[in-house]
Amino acid sequence: MLPEYDFMSDTTEDTSTRFVTFITPGMKRFDLAITTTSRFYGKKLVTDLQNGITAILGADDLEEEGYLAHVFKLTEEEAAELEQFLYFVVGTVNFTD
C-alpha cells in the first residue's frame, strides 16, 4: 500500500524516442535518446545515455551561451558540436496552452 502521497500530476502518454549515436569532427562520441512528447511546450527530452543526464531542450535553450556545456558537462568545443546537431533535431518551440 502506498503512503499518502500528494500527487501534483500523474499522466501517461505515448511518446516517440529517437536513439542516435555519432562522433563529432572533434572525435567526441555521443549516444543520445531524444524523446518527443506533447509536454514541455514542444521541447524535447534529450538524454546523454553515457552519462545519464537529461535536459528539456528547445531552440531557445541552444541559443543560451554555455547552457549545453553546463548541463551535459562538456567542454565549449564539445558543446558547440552537439549544438550543431541538436539544431536539426529540436526545431522551434510550439506553445500549445
Side-chain angles (χ1 to χ4, degrees), residues 34 42-44 46 57-59 62 85-93:
I34 303 156
K43 294 185 177 192
K44 312 257 189 209
V46 179
L57 297 176
L62 300 181
F85 169 77
L86 288 176
Y87 264 117
F88 294 106
V89 174
V90 299
T92 58
V93 177

Side-chain angles (χ1 to χ4, degrees), residues 5-79:
Y5 290 107
D6 187 10
F7 288 96
M8 301 296 288
S9 176
D10 184 0
T11 60
T12 301
E13 80 172 86
D14 291 325
T15 62
S16 171
T17 303
R18 174 183 176 187
F19 295 93
V20 61
T21 298
F22 62 94
I23 298 175
T24 67
M27 301 306 291
K28 169 71 175 168
R29 177 180 168 158
F30 286 98
D31 294 296
L32 304 176
I34 303 156
T35 302
T36 301
T37 173
S38 64
R39 300 181 67 93
F40 311 118
Y41 304 102
K43 294 185 177 192
K44 312 257 189 209
L45 288 170
V46 179
T47 302
D48 176 344
L49 296 171
Q50 291 180 8
N51 299 311
I53 299 171
T54 301
I56 301 168
L57 297 176
D60 58 329
D61 299 303
L62 300 181
E63 294 170 6
E64 194 168 324
E65 188 174 331
Y67 185 71
L68 287 180
H70 172 73
V71 169
F72 290 108
K73 298 177 181 21
L74 303 170
T75 66
E76 288 184 30
E77 180 182 325
E78 292 167 341

